[in-house]
Amino acid sequence: MSVILATAGFDHKIRFWEAPSGICSRTIRHPDSPVNRLEITPDKQFLAAAGNPTIRLYEINNAANHNPVLTLEGHTGAVTSLGFQRDGRYLYSGSEDGAVILWDLRSPNPSRKFDAKAAVNSVALHPNQAQILSADQAGSVKVWDLGSSACVNDVTPDPKAHSIQAVEVSEDGRTLVAANSHAEVFVWTCASAPEYVESSGCAYSASKLAPVTRFRAHPTGTYLTSAKISPDCRTLVTTSSDRTARLWDTTSWDLTSTLAQHTKWVWDAVFSADSSYLVTSSSDHSARLW
């Protein structure tokens, strides 16, 4: 399967789609809760589904098997965000229970656990592969060092401490973006860190951040739901209760396009691996390919 398009939601079902035709090719029932987030392993072999409070991994290329091949238990609240390390051996997750967990997929038990002291909305792995970032409902962005197991940076970008809905790092490791529930986006440049080049090929660290800009991505009074940087580092997408997804140039941070075909809240958006396409999902029960 060269192109994998999957959706999930409050109906407890994961659906795989044929991208060119929009035909649903497979449905998996996620047994114990709605699905909050999906993530595909780098080798495209497995799909991770974030539920409440478990994470389940399903085979992608074996349509006959509808059962999870691995269940991760360690969170006590809804899992809101997750992702994979570059080689696919480790999974990281964040939850409303305030925990950020690193999982070694050779074991069902947590490998490392960090306490954010507030419900976590979003987690991201820095491309240097040595730092996990978390965004929480107390308005904080924290940077967790995997070597020392310590929090090496803690930033509250807005004195009003509005909930941070998303944290993202560009693929080159240079730019960090956080977006809060009031649709404000904050941008920083990560510090130079040549010590990570040999192990990861990335020369940046989030332990020190230099502010670049802040801007309002959606109208006052609307609720921002997600933000993501494209793999080619050129575009930021934000989604909102205003029923749109908006695209921003990451050089000038100017608005370049507004996608306004949904009829209800847009909850999420994800770029294709080559940054040529975007998929958005909405409360209107549709996913759209742009």
Side-chain angles (χ1 to χ4, degrees):
M1 187 183 294
S2 58
V3 177
I4 302 167
L5 176 55
T7 62
F10 286 98
D11 62 357
H12 295 234
K13 292 180 180 179
I14 300 169
R15 292 179 172 88
F16 292 87
W17 304 87
E18 296 177 3
S21 65
I23 295 173
C24 180
S25 58
R26 180 186 176 194
T27 300
I28 297 173
R29 181 162 180 80
H30 187 75
D32 43 11
S33 74
V35 179
N36 300 318
R37 188 72 59 182
L38 296 174
E39 195 70 36
I40 296 169
T41 55
D43 62 7
K44 299 183 180 181
Q45 296 300 306
F46 300 97
L47 177 79
N52 183 7
T54 61
I55 301 168
R56 299 186 187 275
L57 271 70
Y58 298 91
E59 288 184 284
I60 290 176
N61 298 313
N62 183 4
N65 184 12
H66 295 276
N67 298 315
V69 295
L70 180 64
T71 297
L72 303 176
E73 298 178 337
H75 285 294
T76 58
V79 182
T80 53
S81 185
L82 75 170
F84 290 96
Q85 193 186 32
R86 186 177 295 165
D87 62 9
R89 283 183 54 200
Y90 294 91
L91 181 149
Y92 54 93
S93 59
S95 166
E96 290 181 348
D97 63 11
V100 176
I101 296 180
L102 181 69
W103 309 82
D104 185 333
L105 295 181
R106 295 169 294 185
S107 166
N109 301 314
S111 173
R112 204 92 53 89
K113 183 180 286 189
F114 308 97
D115 182 11
K117 301 188 185 304
V120 175
N121 292 325
S122 178
V123 289
L125 180 66
H126 195 284
N128 63 26
Q129 304 293 296
Q131 296 171 332
I132 292 177
L133 297 93
S134 64
D136 60 51
Q137 292 184 17
S140 172
V141 175
K142 295 180 174 68
V143 182
W144 307 94
D145 183 83
L146 297 180
S148 65
S149 296
C151 179
V152 295
N153 203 352
D154 188 344
V155 179
T156 302
D158 179 10
K160 296 179 181 178
H162 297 306
S163 174
I164 305 293
Q165 299 301 104
V167 63
E168 276 280 299
V169 186
S170 59
E171 285 286 337
D172 60 10
R174 183 176 303 187
T175 303
L176 188 149
V177 169
N180 70 18
S181 58
H182 285 225
E184 294 174 299
V185 175
F186 307 87
V187 183
W188 298 267
T189 296
C190 295
S192 176
E195 64 269 23
Y196 292 118
V197 172
E198 185 175 350
S199 60
S200 67
C202 176
Y204 297 93
S205 165
S207 58
K208 293 183 180 180
L209 300 171
V212 175
T213 189
R214 66 182 285 179
F215 60 92
R216 180 169 296 280
H218 296 266
T220 301
T222 59
Y223 189 91
L224 183 140
T225 53
S226 74
K228 285 189 176 67
I229 301 175
S230 60
D232 65 7
C233 308
R234 297 172 60 183
T235 304
L236 172 75
V237 61
T238 58
T239 61
S240 167
S241 64
D242 69 0
R243 301 175 292 181
T244 71
R246 297 189 175 195
L247 303 179
W248 307 85
D249 182 286
T250 57
T251 301
S252 63
W253 300 105
D254 291 333
L255 178 66
T256 59
S257 185
T258 299
L259 308 178
Q261 296 298 312
H262 285 292
T263 58
K264 293 185 178 180
W265 286 37
V266 183
W267 283 99
D268 203 5
V270 63
F271 289 95
S272 60
D274 64 359
S275 303
S276 297
Y277 296 93
L278 181 76
V279 177
T280 55
S281 60
S282 166
S283 296
D284 64 12
H285 299 176
S286 74
R288 291 183 178 270
L289 179 64
W290 308 84

